[in-house]
Amino acid sequence: AFLAEDLRNSGILGVANGLREAGGAIDWKIKVFDAQGDEAGRASTIRMAASIMPDAVVLGGMDGVKMAPHLKSSFKDGVPIVGWHSSPTPGAIAGTPVAANVTTDAREVARVAAYLAVLESKGKAGVVIFTDSNFEIAMRKARVMQDTIKSCEKCKVLAVKDIALSSTAHTMAKVTQDLLAEFDAEWTHSLGINDLYFDHSATPLSLAGIPPEGGISSISAGDGSPSAFRRIRHRSYQTATVAEPLNLQGWQLVDEINRLLAGEQPTHYTPGVHIVTSENIKFDGGDENLFDPENGYREYFKKIWLQ
């Protein structure tokens, strides 16, 4: 059972697709449940997933600590539970039944995104940070980005905006207009914990006369959505995204579950940080609008599972 926080989030959707692909390779049945980004949806999703008595559970973007009481009461002991972006750090989540959390290092992802803003601005960035306090991994990224920008002597954090990812479609236009009115030319860079913020800020920026290139540079500390790849390729209102290898992580989730079912310890493998820009976008899946490492991981995993 894959419990998706919100399939409108392309990162979660990409992992779900990778999980389905990997499950097909090992002849597993994958059932996806979508919580649609709110508390009622999470509760309903847990109930529906528990009703099918799954052999294993994957949290897709749900906070492992917040979900722990529901997981403990809904799934029997011994059912492997793993997560994707369920905590800021890879590995088991202490105090929860989540035995493995698949993610890149959120601190490094955030640091790389912020460093690029410093570099592009020649040390004079005026930055707005977008985050979502519903998720600890998002807040960890925001804190690291804020600290990194503050460590630059002539850079400035103009604002930290707490906007739920599930509400970006109907909030970002007004937020963008308000920020332009408040900061005007001081605002040189946007840093987001996810590409979703920039899906809905491009239009108000364009209407305000901000050019698509050379105006406000938007940089995302995850996850590498198809729309972000298109904006970066065309140099249109987004400079970079620190993309997750989403499909590979779907395969890794199956591998971690397979190990747990066999009584082995999970690998806790951590993918390296990879920032996508217009200069490197044509490599490693970029032509398909995703970061998909060309390292033959599918065949390596199948060799482990099917030998």
Side-chain angles (χ1 to χ4, degrees), residues 161-179:
K161 305 299 289 185
D162 181 6
I163 300 171
L165 289 169
S166 58
S167 73
T168 53
H170 58 266
T171 58
M172 278 303 293
K174 178 65 164 56
V175 169
T176 302
Q177 291 165 358
D178 290 346
L179 288 167

PDB file of all heavy atoms in Angstrom, residues 161-179:
ATOM      1  N   LYS A 161       7.928  32.705   3.749  1.00  0.00           N
ATOM      2  CA  LYS A 161       6.484  32.547   3.591  1.00  0.00           C
ATOM      3  C   LYS A 161       6.085  31.098   3.808  1.00  0.00           C
ATOM      4  O   LYS A 161       6.570  30.192   3.123  1.00  0.00           O
ATOM      5  CB  LYS A 161       6.053  33.001   2.192  1.00  0.00           C
ATOM      6  CG  LYS A 161       6.475  34.424   1.825  1.00  0.00           C
ATOM      7  CD  LYS A 161       5.892  35.460   2.745  1.00  0.00           C
ATOM      8  CE  LYS A 161       4.413  35.641   2.540  1.00  0.00           C
ATOM      9  NZ  LYS A 161       3.871  36.756   3.378  1.00  0.00           N
ATOM     10  N   ASP A 162       5.209  30.882   4.777  1.00  0.00           N
ATOM     11  CA  ASP A 162       4.712  29.549   5.104  1.00  0.00           C
ATOM     12  C   ASP A 162       3.406  29.323   4.339  1.00  0.00           C
ATOM     13  O   ASP A 162       2.355  29.841   4.726  1.00  0.00           O
ATOM     14  CB  ASP A 162       4.489  29.442   6.618  1.00  0.00           C
ATOM     15  CG  ASP A 162       4.002  28.068   7.048  1.00  0.00           C
ATOM     16  OD1 ASP A 162       3.933  27.148   6.194  1.00  0.00           O
ATOM     17  OD2 ASP A 162       3.677  27.906   8.244  1.00  0.00           O
ATOM     18  N   ILE A 163       3.496  28.568   3.253  1.00  0.00           N
ATOM     19  CA  ILE A 163       2.339  28.332   2.380  1.00  0.00           C
ATOM     20  C   ILE A 163       2.207  26.833   2.138  1.00  0.00           C
ATOM     21  O   ILE A 163       3.143  26.187   1.659  1.00  0.00           O
ATOM     22  CB  ILE A 163       2.502  29.060   1.036  1.00  0.00           C
ATOM     23  CG1 ILE A 163       2.644  30.573   1.274  1.00  0.00           C
ATOM     24  CG2 ILE A 163       1.338  28.767   0.105  1.00  0.00           C
ATOM     25  CD1 ILE A 163       3.033  31.346   0.044  1.00  0.00           C
ATOM     26  N   ALA A 164       1.070  26.275   2.496  1.00  0.00           N
ATOM     27  CA  ALA A 164       0.851  24.834   2.308  1.00  0.00           C
ATOM     28  C   ALA A 164       0.979  24.467   0.836  1.00  0.00           C
ATOM     29  O   ALA A 164       0.428  25.150  -0.036  1.00  0.00           O
ATOM     30  CB  ALA A 164      -0.525  24.446   2.827  1.00  0.00           C
ATOM     31  N   LEU A 165       1.706  23.409   0.569  1.00  0.00           N
ATOM     32  CA  LEU A 165       1.868  22.962  -0.816  1.00  0.00           C
ATOM     33  C   LEU A 165       0.518  22.696  -1.466  1.00  0.00           C
ATOM     34  O   LEU A 165       0.329  22.950  -2.661  1.00  0.00           O
ATOM     35  CB  LEU A 165       2.730  21.694  -0.855  1.00  0.00           C
ATOM     36  CG  LEU A 165       4.214  21.883  -0.548  1.00  0.00           C
ATOM     37  CD1 LEU A 165       4.890  20.535  -0.347  1.00  0.00           C
ATOM     38  CD2 LEU A 165       4.903  22.660  -1.663  1.00  0.00           C
ATOM     39  N   SER A 166      -0.425  22.201  -0.682  1.00  0.00           N
ATOM     40  CA  SER A 166      -1.741  21.868  -1.231  1.00  0.00           C
ATOM     41  C   SER A 166      -2.543  23.104  -1.614  1.00  0.00           C
ATOM     42  O   SER A 166      -3.560  22.994  -2.309  1.00  0.00           O
ATOM     43  CB  SER A 166      -2.535  21.031  -0.222  1.00  0.00           C
ATOM     44  OG  SER A 166      -2.693  21.724   1.001  1.00  0.00           O
ATOM     45  N   SER A 167      -2.100  24.291  -1.183  1.00  0.00           N
ATOM     46  CA  SER A 167      -2.869  25.520  -1.456  1.00  0.00           C
ATOM     47  C   SER A 167      -2.197  26.440  -2.468  1.00  0.00           C
ATOM     48  O   SER A 167      -2.704  27.533  -2.732  1.00  0.00           O
ATOM     49  CB  SER A 167      -3.104  26.289  -0.152  1.00  0.00           C
ATOM     50  OG  SER A 167      -1.908  26.911   0.296  1.00  0.00           O
ATOM     51  N   THR A 168      -1.068  26.019  -3.026  1.00  0.00           N
ATOM     52  CA  THR A 168      -0.303  26.923  -3.889  1.00  0.00           C
ATOM     53  C   THR A 168      -1.096  27.408  -5.101  1.00  0.00           C
ATOM     54  O   THR A 168      -0.932  28.552  -5.531  1.00  0.00           O
ATOM     55  CB  THR A 168       0.994  26.255  -4.378  1.00  0.00           C
ATOM     56  OG1 THR A 168       0.673  24.994  -4.985  1.00  0.00           O
ATOM     57  CG2 THR A 168       1.961  26.024  -3.229  1.00  0.00           C
ATOM     58  N   ALA A 169      -1.961  26.564  -5.641  1.00  0.00           N
ATOM     59  CA  ALA A 169      -2.688  26.936  -6.860  1.00  0.00           C
ATOM     60  C   ALA A 169      -3.553  28.169  -6.655  1.00  0.00           C
ATOM     61  O   ALA A 169      -3.741  28.963  -7.580  1.00  0.00           O
ATOM     62  CB  ALA A 169      -3.539  25.762  -7.340  1.00  0.00           C
ATOM     63  N   HIS A 170      -4.101  28.350  -5.460  1.00  0.00           N
ATOM     64  CA  HIS A 170      -4.988  29.490  -5.253  1.00  0.00           C
ATOM     65  C   HIS A 170      -4.429  30.552  -4.309  1.00  0.00           C
ATOM     66  O   HIS A 170      -5.133  31.497  -3.962  1.00  0.00           O
ATOM     67  CB  HIS A 170      -6.373  29.029  -4.765  1.00  0.00           C
ATOM     68  CG  HIS A 170      -6.350  28.234  -3.498  1.00  0.00           C
ATOM     69  ND1 HIS A 170      -6.303  26.862  -3.479  1.00  0.00           N
ATOM     70  CD2 HIS A 170      -6.372  28.628  -2.196  1.00  0.00           C
ATOM     71  CE1 HIS A 170      -6.304  26.439  -2.233  1.00  0.00           C
ATOM     72  NE2 HIS A 170      -6.347  27.489  -1.433  1.00  0.00           N
ATOM     73  N   THR A 171      -3.166  30.416  -3.889  1.00  0.00           N
ATOM     74  CA  THR A 171      -2.583  31.439  -3.008  1.00  0.00           C
ATOM     75  C   THR A 171      -1.381  32.161  -3.609  1.00  0.00           C
ATOM     76  O   THR A 171      -1.124  33.326  -3.267  1.00  0.00           O
ATOM     77  CB  THR A 171      -2.140  30.833  -1.665  1.00  0.00           C
ATOM     78  OG1 THR A 171      -1.180  29.791  -1.911  1.00  0.00           O
ATOM     79  CG2 THR A 171      -3.326  30.263  -0.895  1.00  0.00           C
ATOM     80  N   MET A 172      -0.640  31.496  -4.492  1.00  0.00           N
ATOM     81  CA  MET A 172       0.643  32.061  -4.923  1.00  0.00           C
ATOM     82  C   MET A 172       0.508  33.345  -5.753  1.00  0.00           C
ATOM     83  O   MET A 172       1.382  34.208  -5.704  1.00  0.00           O
ATOM     84  CB  MET A 172       1.452  31.023  -5.695  1.00  0.00           C
ATOM     85  CG  MET A 172       2.208  30.043  -4.804  1.00  0.00           C
ATOM     86  SD  MET A 172       3.346  30.861  -3.658  1.00  0.00           S
ATOM     87  CE  MET A 172       4.564  31.537  -4.783  1.00  0.00           C
ATOM     88  N   ALA A 173      -0.568  33.488  -6.515  1.00  0.00           N
ATOM     89  CA  ALA A 173      -0.717  34.709  -7.316  1.00  0.00           C
ATOM     90  C   ALA A 173      -0.793  35.932  -6.406  1.00  0.00           C
ATOM     91  O   ALA A 173      -0.070  36.922  -6.608  1.00  0.00           O
ATOM     92  CB  ALA A 173      -1.958  34.614  -8.193  1.00  0.00           C
ATOM     93  N   LYS A 174      -1.641  35.867  -5.393  1.00  0.00           N
ATOM     94  CA  LYS A 174      -1.792  36.999  -4.468  1.00  0.00           C
ATOM     95  C   LYS A 174      -0.522  37.223  -3.657  1.00  0.00           C
ATOM     96  O   LYS A 174      -0.076  38.376  -3.471  1.00  0.00           O
ATOM     97  CB  LYS A 174      -2.965  36.723  -3.528  1.00  0.00           C
ATOM     98  CG  LYS A 174      -3.210  37.808  -2.475  1.00  0.00           C
ATOM     99  CD  LYS A 174      -3.626  39.127  -3.115  1.00  0.00           C
ATOM    100  CE  LYS A 174      -4.252  40.094  -2.116  1.00  0.00           C
ATOM    101  NZ  LYS A 174      -3.408  40.385  -0.964  1.00  0.00           N
ATOM    102  N   VAL A 175       0.092  36.131  -3.185  1.00  0.00           N
ATOM    103  CA  VAL A 175       1.332  36.252  -2.413  1.00  0.00           C
ATOM    104  C   VAL A 175       2.420  36.912  -3.256  1.00  0.00           C
ATOM    105  O   VAL A 175       3.149  37.801  -2.782  1.00  0.00           O
ATOM    106  CB  VAL A 175       1.798  34.873  -1.909  1.00  0.00           C
ATOM    107  CG1 VAL A 175       3.210  34.945  -1.339  1.00  0.00           C
ATOM    108  CG2 VAL A 175       0.838  34.342  -0.851  1.00  0.00           C
ATOM    109  N   THR A 176       2.539  36.506  -4.510  1.00  0.00           N
ATOM    110  CA  THR A 176       3.558  37.072  -5.404  1.00  0.00           C
ATOM    111  C   THR A 176       3.319  38.562  -5.623  1.00  0.00           C
ATOM    112  O   THR A 176       4.257  39.374  -5.575  1.00  0.00           O
ATOM    113  CB  THR A 176       3.561  36.328  -6.753  1.00  0.00           C
ATOM    114  OG1 THR A 176       3.807  34.930  -6.525  1.00  0.00           O
ATOM    115  CG2 THR A 176       4.639  36.869  -7.675  1.00  0.00           C
ATOM    116  N   GLN A 177       2.076  38.940  -5.852  1.00  0.00           N
ATOM    117  CA  GLN A 177       1.748  40.355  -6.047  1.00  0.00           C
ATOM    118  C   GLN A 177       2.103  41.172  -4.797  1.00  0.00           C
ATOM    119  O   GLN A 177       2.679  42.262  -4.899  1.00  0.00           O
ATOM    120  CB  GLN A 177       0.258  40.493  -6.356  1.00  0.00           C
ATOM    121  CG  GLN A 177      -0.139  39.943  -7.714  1.00  0.00           C
ATOM    122  CD  GLN A 177      -1.641  39.766  -7.859  1.00  0.00           C
ATOM    123  OE1 GLN A 177      -2.400  40.026  -6.917  1.00  0.00           O
ATOM    124  NE2 GLN A 177      -2.078  39.316  -9.014  1.00  0.00           N
ATOM    125  N   ASP A 178       1.781  40.636  -3.627  1.00  0.00           N
ATOM    126  CA  ASP A 178       2.070  41.347  -2.379  1.00  0.00           C
ATOM    127  C   ASP A 178       3.576  41.508  -2.158  1.00  0.00           C
ATOM    128  O   ASP A 178       4.040  42.568  -1.704  1.00  0.00           O
ATOM    129  CB  ASP A 178       1.449  40.603  -1.190  1.00  0.00           C
ATOM    130  CG  ASP A 178      -0.073  40.686  -1.185  1.00  0.00           C
ATOM    131  OD1 ASP A 178      -0.632  41.524  -1.919  1.00  0.00           O
ATOM    132  OD2 ASP A 178      -0.697  39.892  -0.446  1.00  0.00           O
ATOM    133  N   LEU A 179       4.343  40.475  -2.480  1.00  0.00           N
ATOM    134  CA  LEU A 179       5.794  40.532  -2.309  1.00  0.00           C
ATOM    135  C   LEU A 179       6.419  41.546  -3.258  1.00  0.00           C
ATOM    136  O   LEU A 179       7.334  42.285  -2.881  1.00  0.00           O
ATOM    137  CB  LEU A 179       6.406  39.147  -2.537  1.00  0.00           C
ATOM    138  CG  LEU A 179       6.143  38.109  -1.445  1.00  0.00           C
ATOM    139  CD1 LEU A 179       6.520  36.710  -1.934  1.00  0.00           C
ATOM    140  CD2 LEU A 179       6.913  38.446  -0.167  1.00  0.00           C
TER     141      LEU A 179
END
